[in-house]
Each structure stands twice: as C-alpha cells, then as structure tokens.
Amino acid sequence: MSEATSVETMRRIIRQALASMEEHADELGRLDAAAGDGDHGITMVRGMKAAVAVLDANAPDAGALLSRGALAFSDAAGGASGALYGMLFATAGRQLGAGPYATADVAAAMRAGCDVVMRLGKAQPGDKTLLDALEPFLVALDAAADRPLPVAWRTALPAAQAGTAATAGMVASCGRSATLGERSLGHRDPGAVSLTYLLEAVDKVIGEAESDR
Ligand code: ADP
Ligand code: MG
C-alpha cells in the first residue's frame, strides 16, 4: 500500500468514526446516564468532530494523521474518555508512523496505546471500562497477526463485542461510575460500547477497501 493510499484510508476511517458516534450518540448517553453523568455520546461526537477538522491539513503519513486527530479529540472531548482515547490513539499513531502497516505492526501500535491507558488510567480488564473491549480485541488481533489486516481485524471484532457484552455483568470500580457501584450492574460500559463502534468503523473502511481491489 502506498503512503498516499494509507493517509487516505486513515482519513476515511476518522470520518466513518465520526458518523458512527453521531449515529450512536443517544445510546452512549443513555448507557452513561445509568451510572455516570450521561455525557459519553456528546463527548465522543465533540471529540470526533475535532479530529475530522484537522484532517485537511497535510499529514506525512497515516500514523501522524492518527496522532494529530487523537490530540485534537482529546482537547475537544474532555472528561475521562477524552484523555484516555487521546492517549490510546496518539500513542498508537506515533508508533505506527509511516508504516509498514502489516497486521503485526498495527497490533503492536494498538498494544502500545493500550499499555499507556492502563498505566495512566490504572484500570485493568474486569474493571468495567473500555479495556474490557480493547484487551480481548488485541489478544485476538495478535492471534491473527499472520493474516492480512482487513481479515485479521474482522476476525478479532467478535472478541471486542463479547468483551463489551460481558461488561453488563460487571460492577464498575474505576472512573466516575465507580462511585455508583452496583447501579452500573445490568448495563454495558459506555466506553466499551463506543470503543467497539470505533473498531467496527475501522472494519467498515478497511473491509471495503479490500473488496475494491
Ligand atoms: P467521564 O467519566 O469523564 O464522564 P465519559 O463519560 O466520556 O467520561 O467516559 C466514560 C468511560 O471512560 C467509561 O465508560 C470507561 O469505559 C472509560 N473510563 C473511565 N475511567 C477509565 C480508566 N481509568 N481506564 C480506562 N477507561 C476508563
Ligand atoms: Mg460520562
């Protein structure tokens, strides 16, 4: 894949991610209202709009575009998810750089982002956060590392979806919703849900690019 193609693919991913957050904003807000402050949908849309707004500036490579979008997201979104998503994708983008973008490279970049989120956010899988979608996804992506990226990504998606579904049975011990403890039981974690939608948005774009060939 040429660098120009990769940059264009990343632009499409970021636009698709905004469309997905707009589509699901109400649902994310309702989930967050169950045990948090109800702002997760609004936060994600605000952040993604800011990421889309920096797309037009020249980017040397797809990784740079991702990290630039992540910083814009973080500044605009605010809240726990603004900071955490910002760190996740800024770190992943920096590590991705100019590629190559083989599955193993993308998996390693996402893993580096996940490590930063765990270190700074001090949550672990099982704490009912976006990590309950991200961690199983990354394990599955790693297991498919010898396959082309669009195939590996699609193969790994069900792990994120299952991890997200499982958060309904967890009691939050991190973030704002921790103070409401049991109230979060029975509801999926909004961050795990939004992360899964973002992963699905990536799949939609890279899966289509694959079938265009
Ligand atoms: P806020 O909690 O500031 O209102 P949001 O509502 O936008 O922010 O995002 C809440 C989501 O952020 C949670 O559903 C959870 O997935 C994620 N989150 C909160 N704290 C952490 C943490 N320490 N580590 C990982 N994810 C977290
Ligand atoms: Mg909130």
Side-chain angles (χ1 to χ4, degrees), residues 123-178:
Q124 295 290 320
D127 288 339
K128 193 172 178 123
T129 71
L130 54 86
L131 293 172
D132 291 303
L134 184 58
E135 172 67 28
F137 176 79
L138 291 181
V139 170
L141 192 63
D142 239 0
D146 57 342
R147 309 184 70 184
L149 183 60
V151 177
W153 198 275
R154 189 159 292 181
T155 305
L157 267 185
Q161 291 156 345
T164 297
T167 61
M170 296 174 187
V171 174
S173 49
C174 264
R176 215 184 284 279
S177 57

Short mmCIF file of all heavy atoms in Angstrom, two decimals, residues 123-178:
data_model
loop_
_atom_site.label_atom_id
_atom_site.label_comp_id
_atom_site.label_asym_id
_atom_site.label_seq_id
_atom_site.Cartn_x
_atom_site.Cartn_y
_atom_site.Cartn_z
N ALA A 123 -6.62 1.21 35.39
CA ALA A 123 -7.68 0.20 35.37
C ALA A 123 -7.13 -1.07 34.72
O ALA A 123 -6.12 -1.03 34.01
CB ALA A 123 -8.88 0.71 34.57
N GLN A 124 -7.79 -2.16 35.00
CA GLN A 124 -7.43 -3.46 34.44
C GLN A 124 -8.67 -4.03 33.77
O GLN A 124 -9.79 -3.65 34.13
CB GLN A 124 -7.02 -4.42 35.57
CG GLN A 124 -5.76 -4.02 36.31
CD GLN A 124 -4.53 -4.19 35.45
OE1 GLN A 124 -4.41 -5.15 34.70
NE2 GLN A 124 -3.62 -3.22 35.53
N PRO A 125 -8.48 -4.98 32.85
CA PRO A 125 -9.67 -5.68 32.34
C PRO A 125 -10.46 -6.26 33.52
O PRO A 125 -9.86 -6.75 34.49
CB PRO A 125 -9.06 -6.80 31.48
CG PRO A 125 -7.73 -6.27 31.06
CD PRO A 125 -7.24 -5.43 32.21
N GLY A 126 -11.78 -6.16 33.45
CA GLY A 126 -12.62 -6.62 34.56
C GLY A 126 -13.14 -5.46 35.39
O GLY A 126 -14.06 -5.63 36.20
N ASP A 127 -12.57 -4.26 35.21
CA ASP A 127 -13.00 -3.09 35.97
C ASP A 127 -14.16 -2.36 35.32
O ASP A 127 -14.56 -1.29 35.75
CB ASP A 127 -11.84 -2.10 36.14
CG ASP A 127 -10.79 -2.61 37.13
OD1 ASP A 127 -11.13 -3.48 37.95
OD2 ASP A 127 -9.64 -2.14 37.06
N LYS A 128 -14.70 -2.93 34.25
CA LYS A 128 -15.83 -2.33 33.54
C LYS A 128 -15.44 -1.00 32.90
O LYS A 128 -15.98 0.06 33.23
CB LYS A 128 -17.04 -2.15 34.49
CG LYS A 128 -18.35 -1.82 33.74
CD LYS A 128 -19.53 -1.86 34.68
CE LYS A 128 -20.81 -1.49 33.96
NZ LYS A 128 -21.83 -2.53 34.08
N THR A 129 -14.50 -1.08 31.98
CA THR A 129 -14.10 0.10 31.21
C THR A 129 -13.92 -0.33 29.76
O THR A 129 -14.09 -1.49 29.41
CB THR A 129 -12.75 0.68 31.69
OG1 THR A 129 -11.70 -0.21 31.32
CG2 THR A 129 -12.72 0.93 33.18
N LEU A 130 -13.48 0.64 28.95
CA LEU A 130 -13.21 0.34 27.54
C LEU A 130 -12.14 -0.74 27.39
O LEU A 130 -12.04 -1.39 26.34
CB LEU A 130 -12.83 1.61 26.78
CG LEU A 130 -11.69 2.50 27.31
CD1 LEU A 130 -10.34 2.04 26.80
CD2 LEU A 130 -11.93 3.95 26.90
N LEU A 131 -11.34 -0.98 28.43
CA LEU A 131 -10.33 -2.04 28.36
C LEU A 131 -10.97 -3.41 28.21
O LEU A 131 -10.33 -4.33 27.68
CB LEU A 131 -9.45 -2.02 29.61
CG LEU A 131 -8.55 -0.80 29.78
CD1 LEU A 131 -7.89 -0.82 31.15
CD2 LEU A 131 -7.50 -0.75 28.66
N ASP A 132 -12.21 -3.56 28.65
CA ASP A 132 -12.88 -4.86 28.53
C ASP A 132 -13.25 -5.18 27.09
O ASP A 132 -13.53 -6.34 26.77
CB ASP A 132 -14.10 -4.92 29.45
CG ASP A 132 -13.65 -4.95 30.91
OD1 ASP A 132 -12.88 -5.86 31.26
OD2 ASP A 132 -14.02 -4.04 31.66
N ALA A 133 -13.24 -4.17 26.23
CA ALA A 133 -13.38 -4.42 24.79
C ALA A 133 -12.01 -4.48 24.13
O ALA A 133 -11.75 -5.34 23.28
CB ALA A 133 -14.21 -3.30 24.14
N LEU A 134 -11.13 -3.57 24.54
CA LEU A 134 -9.83 -3.43 23.86
C LEU A 134 -8.91 -4.62 24.10
O LEU A 134 -8.28 -5.13 23.16
CB LEU A 134 -9.17 -2.12 24.33
CG LEU A 134 -7.85 -1.74 23.67
CD1 LEU A 134 -8.01 -1.61 22.16
CD2 LEU A 134 -7.31 -0.44 24.27
N GLU A 135 -8.80 -5.04 25.35
CA GLU A 135 -7.84 -6.11 25.67
C GLU A 135 -8.16 -7.41 24.90
O GLU A 135 -7.29 -7.95 24.22
CB GLU A 135 -7.81 -6.30 27.19
CG GLU A 135 -7.02 -7.50 27.67
CD GLU A 135 -5.52 -7.39 27.41
OE1 GLU A 135 -5.00 -6.26 27.36
OE2 GLU A 135 -4.88 -8.44 27.22
N PRO A 136 -9.40 -7.92 24.96
CA PRO A 136 -9.68 -9.14 24.20
C PRO A 136 -9.53 -8.96 22.69
O PRO A 136 -9.10 -9.88 21.99
CB PRO A 136 -11.14 -9.49 24.55
CG PRO A 136 -11.69 -8.33 25.29
CD PRO A 136 -10.56 -7.49 25.78
N PHE A 137 -9.83 -7.75 22.20
CA PHE A 137 -9.65 -7.48 20.77
C PHE A 137 -8.17 -7.61 20.41
O PHE A 137 -7.82 -8.24 19.40
CB PHE A 137 -10.16 -6.07 20.42
CG PHE A 137 -9.91 -5.69 18.98
CD1 PHE A 137 -10.73 -6.16 17.98
CD2 PHE A 137 -8.84 -4.88 18.64
CE1 PHE A 137 -10.49 -5.84 16.64
CE2 PHE A 137 -8.58 -4.55 17.32
CZ PHE A 137 -9.41 -5.03 16.31
N LEU A 138 -7.31 -7.03 21.24
CA LEU A 138 -5.87 -7.06 20.92
C LEU A 138 -5.30 -8.46 21.00
O LEU A 138 -4.42 -8.84 20.22
CB LEU A 138 -5.11 -6.09 21.84
CG LEU A 138 -5.41 -4.61 21.58
CD1 LEU A 138 -4.60 -3.73 22.52
CD2 LEU A 138 -5.13 -4.24 20.13
N VAL A 139 -5.79 -9.25 21.93
CA VAL A 139 -5.35 -10.65 22.02
C VAL A 139 -5.74 -11.39 20.75
O VAL A 139 -4.95 -12.12 20.14
CB VAL A 139 -5.95 -11.33 23.28
CG1 VAL A 139 -5.69 -12.84 23.27
CG2 VAL A 139 -5.37 -10.71 24.55
N ALA A 140 -6.98 -11.15 20.29
CA ALA A 140 -7.46 -11.82 19.08
C ALA A 140 -6.73 -11.32 17.83
O ALA A 140 -6.44 -12.09 16.91
CB ALA A 140 -8.97 -11.62 18.93
N LEU A 141 -6.42 -10.02 17.81
CA LEU A 141 -5.70 -9.46 16.66
C LEU A 141 -4.30 -10.06 16.58
O LEU A 141 -3.82 -10.40 15.49
CB LEU A 141 -5.63 -7.93 16.79
CG LEU A 141 -5.16 -7.14 15.57
CD1 LEU A 141 -6.13 -7.32 14.38
CD2 LEU A 141 -5.03 -5.65 15.89
N ASP A 142 -3.67 -10.17 17.73
CA ASP A 142 -2.34 -10.78 17.79
C ASP A 142 -2.37 -12.22 17.29
O ASP A 142 -1.47 -12.66 16.58
CB ASP A 142 -1.86 -10.78 19.25
CG ASP A 142 -0.57 -10.01 19.40
OD1 ASP A 142 -0.07 -9.50 18.37
OD2 ASP A 142 -0.08 -9.93 20.53
N ALA A 143 -3.42 -12.93 17.68
CA ALA A 143 -3.53 -14.34 17.28
C ALA A 143 -3.71 -14.49 15.78
O ALA A 143 -3.43 -15.54 15.21
CB ALA A 143 -4.70 -15.00 18.02
N ALA A 144 -4.19 -13.42 15.13
CA ALA A 144 -4.41 -13.45 13.68
C ALA A 144 -3.33 -12.64 12.94
O ALA A 144 -3.53 -12.25 11.78
CB ALA A 144 -5.80 -12.90 13.35
N ALA A 145 -2.21 -12.41 13.59
CA ALA A 145 -1.19 -11.48 13.06
C ALA A 145 -0.59 -11.92 11.73
O ALA A 145 -0.03 -11.11 11.00
CB ALA A 145 -0.09 -11.26 14.08
N ASP A 146 -0.71 -13.20 11.39
CA ASP A 146 -0.13 -13.66 10.12
C ASP A 146 -1.12 -13.49 8.96
O ASP A 146 -0.80 -13.82 7.81
CB ASP A 146 0.30 -15.13 10.24
CG ASP A 146 -0.85 -16.03 10.64
OD1 ASP A 146 -1.86 -15.50 11.16
OD2 ASP A 146 -0.76 -17.26 10.43
N ARG A 147 -2.29 -12.93 9.23
CA ARG A 147 -3.29 -12.75 8.17
C ARG A 147 -3.31 -11.28 7.71
O ARG A 147 -2.88 -10.40 8.44
CB ARG A 147 -4.66 -13.19 8.68
CG ARG A 147 -4.58 -14.60 9.29
CD ARG A 147 -5.89 -15.14 9.73
NE ARG A 147 -6.75 -15.46 8.61
CZ ARG A 147 -8.01 -15.88 8.73
NH1 ARG A 147 -8.54 -16.02 9.92
NH2 ARG A 147 -8.72 -16.18 7.68
N PRO A 148 -3.81 -11.01 6.51
CA PRO A 148 -3.88 -9.62 6.06
C PRO A 148 -4.72 -8.79 7.03
O PRO A 148 -5.68 -9.31 7.61
CB PRO A 148 -4.58 -9.72 4.69
CG PRO A 148 -4.44 -11.13 4.27
CD PRO A 148 -4.35 -11.96 5.52
N LEU A 149 -4.38 -7.52 7.17
CA LEU A 149 -5.03 -6.68 8.19
C LEU A 149 -6.56 -6.69 8.14
O LEU A 149 -7.20 -6.88 9.18
CB LEU A 149 -4.48 -5.25 8.12
CG LEU A 149 -5.02 -4.29 9.18
CD1 LEU A 149 -4.70 -4.77 10.59
CD2 LEU A 149 -4.46 -2.88 8.96
N PRO A 150 -7.19 -6.51 6.97
CA PRO A 150 -8.67 -6.49 6.98
C PRO A 150 -9.28 -7.80 7.48
O PRO A 150 -10.30 -7.78 8.17
CB PRO A 150 -9.03 -6.27 5.50
CG PRO A 150 -7.81 -5.66 4.89
CD PRO A 150 -6.65 -6.24 5.62
N VAL A 151 -8.63 -8.91 7.16
CA VAL A 151 -9.12 -10.22 7.59
C VAL A 151 -8.91 -10.37 9.10
O VAL A 151 -9.82 -10.78 9.84
CB VAL A 151 -8.38 -11.35 6.83
CG1 VAL A 151 -8.84 -12.72 7.33
CG2 VAL A 151 -8.58 -11.21 5.34
N ALA A 152 -7.71 -10.03 9.55
CA ALA A 152 -7.39 -10.18 10.98
C ALA A 152 -8.31 -9.29 11.82
O ALA A 152 -8.83 -9.70 12.86
CB ALA A 152 -5.93 -9.80 11.21
N TRP A 153 -8.53 -8.07 11.34
CA TRP A 153 -9.36 -7.11 12.09
C TRP A 153 -10.77 -7.66 12.25
O TRP A 153 -11.35 -7.66 13.32
CB TRP A 153 -9.38 -5.77 11.35
CG TRP A 153 -9.82 -4.62 12.19
CD1 TRP A 153 -11.11 -4.24 12.42
CD2 TRP A 153 -8.98 -3.73 12.93
NE1 TRP A 153 -11.13 -3.15 13.25
CE2 TRP A 153 -9.85 -2.80 13.58
CE3 TRP A 153 -7.60 -3.60 13.11
CZ2 TRP A 153 -9.37 -1.78 14.39
CZ3 TRP A 153 -7.12 -2.58 13.91
CH2 TRP A 153 -8.00 -1.69 14.54
N ARG A 154 -11.32 -8.16 11.13
CA ARG A 154 -12.68 -8.70 11.18
C ARG A 154 -12.76 -9.95 12.04
O ARG A 154 -13.76 -10.17 12.74
CB ARG A 154 -13.18 -8.98 9.76
CG ARG A 154 -14.65 -9.33 9.72
CD ARG A 154 -15.24 -9.13 8.37
NE ARG A 154 -15.31 -7.72 7.98
CZ ARG A 154 -15.81 -7.29 6.82
NH1 ARG A 154 -16.29 -8.15 5.96
NH2 ARG A 154 -15.84 -6.01 6.54
N THR A 155 -11.71 -10.74 12.02
CA THR A 155 -11.65 -11.95 12.84
C THR A 155 -11.65 -11.61 14.33
O THR A 155 -12.19 -12.35 15.16
CB THR A 155 -10.37 -12.75 12.50
OG1 THR A 155 -10.35 -12.99 11.10
CG2 THR A 155 -10.31 -14.08 13.24
N ALA A 156 -11.03 -10.47 14.66
CA ALA A 156 -10.87 -10.10 16.07
C ALA A 156 -12.09 -9.36 16.64
O ALA A 156 -12.27 -9.32 17.86
CB ALA A 156 -9.61 -9.24 16.23
N LEU A 157 -12.92 -8.80 15.75
CA LEU A 157 -14.06 -8.00 16.23
C LEU A 157 -14.98 -8.71 17.22
O LEU A 157 -15.39 -8.10 18.22
CB LEU A 157 -14.90 -7.52 15.04
CG LEU A 157 -14.59 -6.16 14.45
CD1 LEU A 157 -15.63 -5.84 13.38
CD2 LEU A 157 -14.57 -5.07 15.51
N PRO A 158 -15.33 -9.98 16.98
CA PRO A 158 -16.24 -10.64 17.93
C PRO A 158 -15.69 -10.68 19.36
O PRO A 158 -16.48 -10.68 20.32
CB PRO A 158 -16.38 -12.06 17.37
CG PRO A 158 -16.11 -11.90 15.90
CD PRO A 158 -15.07 -10.83 15.80
N ALA A 159 -14.37 -10.67 19.51
CA ALA A 159 -13.80 -10.66 20.86
C ALA A 159 -14.13 -9.35 21.57
O ALA A 159 -14.44 -9.33 22.77
CB ALA A 159 -12.28 -10.88 20.79
N ALA A 160 -14.07 -8.24 20.82
CA ALA A 160 -14.43 -6.94 21.41
C ALA A 160 -15.92 -6.91 21.74
O ALA A 160 -16.33 -6.41 22.80
CB ALA A 160 -14.08 -5.81 20.45
N GLN A 161 -16.73 -7.46 20.83
CA GLN A 161 -18.19 -7.45 21.05
C GLN A 161 -18.56 -8.30 22.26
O GLN A 161 -19.38 -7.89 23.09
CB GLN A 161 -18.89 -7.94 19.77
CG GLN A 161 -18.75 -6.93 18.63
CD GLN A 161 -18.90 -7.54 17.24
OE1 GLN A 161 -18.82 -8.77 17.07
NE2 GLN A 161 -19.08 -6.71 16.22
N ALA A 162 -17.91 -9.45 22.40
CA ALA A 162 -18.20 -10.32 23.55
C ALA A 162 -17.71 -9.67 24.84
O ALA A 162 -18.39 -9.72 25.87
CB ALA A 162 -17.53 -11.68 23.35
N GLY A 163 -16.54 -9.05 24.78
CA GLY A 163 -15.99 -8.37 25.96
C GLY A 163 -16.92 -7.24 26.41
O GLY A 163 -17.15 -7.03 27.60
N THR A 164 -17.46 -6.53 25.44
CA THR A 164 -18.38 -5.43 25.74
C THR A 164 -19.67 -5.97 26.36
O THR A 164 -20.17 -5.43 27.36
CB THR A 164 -18.69 -4.64 24.46
OG1 THR A 164 -17.47 -4.08 24.00
CG2 THR A 164 -19.68 -3.54 24.71
N ALA A 165 -20.21 -7.02 25.79
CA ALA A 165 -21.44 -7.61 26.33
C ALA A 165 -21.22 -8.04 27.78
O ALA A 165 -22.09 -7.87 28.64
CB ALA A 165 -21.87 -8.80 25.47
N ALA A 166 -20.03 -8.56 28.06
CA ALA A 166 -19.74 -9.06 29.41
C ALA A 166 -19.70 -7.93 30.45
O ALA A 166 -19.90 -8.17 31.64
CB ALA A 166 -18.42 -9.83 29.41
N THR A 167 -19.46 -6.69 30.01
CA THR A 167 -19.41 -5.59 30.99
C THR A 167 -20.75 -5.36 31.68
O THR A 167 -20.80 -4.79 32.76
CB THR A 167 -18.94 -4.24 30.36
OG1 THR A 167 -19.86 -3.85 29.33
CG2 THR A 167 -17.54 -4.36 29.79
N ALA A 168 -21.83 -5.81 31.05
CA ALA A 168 -23.15 -5.66 31.71
C ALA A 168 -23.19 -6.39 33.04
O ALA A 168 -23.90 -5.97 33.97
CB ALA A 168 -24.26 -6.16 30.78
N GLY A 169 -22.41 -7.45 33.16
CA GLY A 169 -22.40 -8.23 34.40
C GLY A 169 -21.35 -7.76 35.40
O GLY A 169 -21.14 -8.39 36.43
N MET A 170 -20.67 -6.66 35.09
CA MET A 170 -19.60 -6.17 35.98
C MET A 170 -20.07 -4.95 36.77
O MET A 170 -20.93 -4.20 36.32
CB MET A 170 -18.37 -5.75 35.15
CG MET A 170 -17.73 -6.89 34.39
SD MET A 170 -16.41 -6.22 33.34
CE MET A 170 -15.97 -7.70 32.43
N VAL A 171 -19.45 -4.76 37.93
CA VAL A 171 -19.67 -3.55 38.71
C VAL A 171 -18.45 -2.67 38.51
O VAL A 171 -17.31 -3.13 38.65
CB VAL A 171 -19.86 -3.89 40.21
CG1 VAL A 171 -19.93 -2.63 41.04
CG2 VAL A 171 -21.10 -4.74 40.40
N ALA A 172 -18.67 -1.40 38.15
CA ALA A 172 -17.55 -0.50 37.86
C ALA A 172 -16.73 -0.23 39.10
O ALA A 172 -17.27 0.00 40.18
CB ALA A 172 -18.09 0.81 37.30
N SER A 173 -15.41 -0.28 38.92
CA SER A 173 -14.54 0.07 40.06
C SER A 173 -13.58 1.19 39.68
O SER A 173 -12.66 1.50 40.40
CB SER A 173 -13.78 -1.17 40.53
OG SER A 173 -13.17 -1.82 39.43
N CYS A 174 -13.81 1.77 38.49
CA CYS A 174 -12.93 2.85 38.03
C CYS A 174 -13.79 3.97 37.46
O CYS A 174 -14.90 3.74 37.03
CB CYS A 174 -12.05 2.36 36.90
SG CYS A 174 -10.46 1.85 37.46
N GLY A 175 -13.22 5.16 37.43
CA GLY A 175 -13.91 6.26 36.76
C GLY A 175 -15.11 6.74 37.58
O GLY A 175 -15.36 6.31 38.71
N ARG A 176 -15.87 7.64 36.95
CA ARG A 176 -16.99 8.28 37.61
C ARG A 176 -18.04 7.28 38.10
O ARG A 176 -18.62 7.44 39.17
CB ARG A 176 -17.66 9.20 36.59
CG ARG A 176 -18.23 10.45 37.15
CD ARG A 176 -18.93 11.22 36.05
NE ARG A 176 -18.05 11.91 35.13
CZ ARG A 176 -17.48 13.07 35.38
NH1 ARG A 176 -17.70 13.68 36.53
NH2 ARG A 176 -16.71 13.65 34.50
N SER A 177 -18.28 6.24 37.29
CA SER A 177 -19.37 5.32 37.64
C SER A 177 -19.01 4.46 38.85
O SER A 177 -19.89 3.84 39.44
CB SER A 177 -19.73 4.44 36.45
OG SER A 177 -18.61 3.74 36.01
N ALA A 178 -17.72 4.44 39.27
CA ALA A 178 -17.34 3.63 40.43
C ALA A 178 -18.07 4.11 41.68
O ALA A 178 -18.42 3.31 42.55
CB ALA A 178 -15.83 3.71 40.64
#
